[in-house]
Amino acid sequence: MADLTQSGNLAENTDPRVLRSRQMLMESLLRLLNRKEFDNISIQEIADEATLNRATFYLHYPDKNALLQAMTATRFRDLIARRGLAFTNCDGALRAIALGVCDYLAETAGCPSQLAKMPLEGSIIPVVEGMFQEGAEKHPGAPGTDQKLLSAAAAWAIFGAARRWYQTPERIPAEEMAAKIEAMVKPIFLAAST
């Protein structure tokens, strides 16, 4: 689905008016989620809450699910930036991504209850896949390696392990879990690089 930083052309991604409208729509959806169930929120309500018209909503998102996914992806990217997780080299990048996913899932617990229950993989996994694909451009694997498939496998593995960690009562610290995820997922990359 549409992503705040990947949808449309470059002008749409840098035009302050476009960015402001998208931010207003995301914030209005989050406010409405504090008062109502997602299924009971209409596009008109989102637009009204954002003080925008319905046509403006449709200029940015095809439906409210796309807005929800964009909002989740943006919040995940913000968390990664806030944590200062840098991916300048391969060492530690995998652990940093795993820690970012664990932190995001834990942080989502403080969000409106239905947001915490919604499937987040549709928003987070594409962001993580993109991170791996950016890394693959800088560090190509072995000839014949399907980088998109490798990125998808690693992203799903990280998200699945992090979700299992989050759903476990009396879970270990996120940093410890990120190290475990790194140890399990790293062999996938090592096998693809030889």
Side-chain angles (χ1 to χ4, degrees):
M1 291 283 175
D3 175 8
L4 178 63
T5 59
Q6 294 178 343
S7 66
N9 63 36
L10 184 58
E12 286 182 346
N13 293 328
T14 57
D15 184 329
R17 296 167 298 177
V18 170
L19 296 175
R20 187 176 50 249
S21 293
R22 289 180 182 171
Q23 185 64 35
M24 291 169 66
L25 289 166
M26 289 180 202
E27 289 171 0
S28 71
L29 176 59
L30 189 59
R31 284 191 303 273
L32 287 166
L33 285 170
N34 281 310
R35 301 190 305 255
K36 298 176 80 170
E37 293 292 321
F38 180 73
D39 290 339
N40 296 329
I41 298 172
S42 70
I43 289 171
Q44 187 63 54
E45 287 174 299
I46 296 168
D48 289 347
E49 182 77 20
T51 64
L52 298 170
N53 64 45
R54 186 178 170 102
T56 301
F57 177 96
Y58 285 114
L59 285 174
H60 300 285
Y61 303 103
D63 56 36
K64 67 181 184 177
N65 291 310
L67 171 60
L68 177 66
Q69 284 189 327
M71 181 183 78
T72 303
T74 298
R75 292 181 69 212
F76 178 64
R77 287 180 191 277
D78 289 348
L79 178 133
I80 294 292
R82 227 176 28 248
R83 296 280 193 268
L85 300 178
F87 311 108
T88 54
N89 62 45
C90 294
D91 293 333
L94 185 57
R95 185 179 300 202
I97 292 170
L99 180 59
V101 174
C102 289
D103 283 349
Y104 185 79
L105 292 174
E107 209 174 79
T108 301
C111 293
S113 62
Q114 67 267 23
L115 185 58
K117 295 177 197 169
M118 290 182 174
L120 301 175
E121 59 269 8
S123 304
I124 295 172
I125 289 174
V127 173
V128 174
E129 282 183 45
M131 290 174 180
F132 287 135
Q133 289 173 15
E134 286 173 25
E137 290 172 8
K138 296 174 186 166
H139 308 282
T145 301
D146 184 339
Q147 293 295 337
K148 288 185 178 185
L149 182 59
L150 178 63
S151 297
W156 277 98
I158 290 171
F159 183 84
R163 176 166 267 178
R164 174 63 56 99
W165 164 82
Y166 176 71
Q167 294 171 340
T168 303
E170 299 179 36
R171 59 186 174 262
I172 61 176
E175 293 80 9
E176 192 177 326
M177 186 60 192
K180 287 184 178 216
I181 292 171
E182 178 187 36
M184 289 184 278
V185 176
K186 196 171 193 172
I188 296 171
F189 286 105
L190 294 176
S193 67
T194 57

